[in-house]
Amino acid sequence: MLASFATLLVFQCLGEGITFALKLPIPGPVVGMLLLFFSLVAYPPLLEKVEATASELLRHLSLLFVPAGVGIVAAAGQVKGHWMTVILAVAVSTLLTLAVTATVTRAVMNWQKRREATLGEPDEAKKDGKEDGHA
């Protein structure tokens, strides 16, 4: 478990280093997560090594939000006169996130429909037993 935790930390540190070196406007842990994702795609046995530790971390994910909450409370004094701006920013970013999620979901659903049409019979027909000739 320690080795897999160290692996996850290495990816986070790599992300931080890349973000710092290239002066990217993306958080280092996000870059590290992308590196981890591409590593898992390229080398599937890595999944077996980090899965248990990652699952355990996800189980206790709420604890990882405590420092962020403390930071928000500590910075609340600096935001005193800007509450409307903060509320507007949260609302706009939430709506933007919903719009992007809906667009990506629609694109994936269309891609799946095209793929099913190209490959042949849709999955629903197979689930209904139509592939056996039992209609």
Side-chain angles (χ1 to χ4, degrees), residues 104-124:
V104 169
T105 301
R106 182 173 293 193
V108 169
M109 290 173 68
N110 289 337
W111 173 76
Q112 284 178 331
K113 286 180 184 176
R114 285 194 310 270
R115 186 171 167 231
E116 287 173 355
T118 303
L119 295 175
E121 201 172 326
D123 287 339
E124 278 79 28

Side-chain angles (χ1 to χ4, degrees), residues 79 82-98:
V79 186
H82 305 285
W83 285 108
M84 188 56 77
T85 306
V86 171
I87 291 170
L88 183 64
V90 169
V92 169
S93 64
T94 300
L95 291 174
L96 185 62
T97 300
L98 288 171

Side-chain angles (χ1 to χ4, degrees), residues 35-57:
L35 290 172
L36 177 62
F37 171 74
F38 290 122
S39 297
L40 290 170
V41 169
Y43 186 67
L46 181 61
L47 177 62
E48 295 173 11
K49 294 179 181 174
V50 298
E51 185 175 19
T53 302
S55 295
E56 194 64 28
L57 283 173

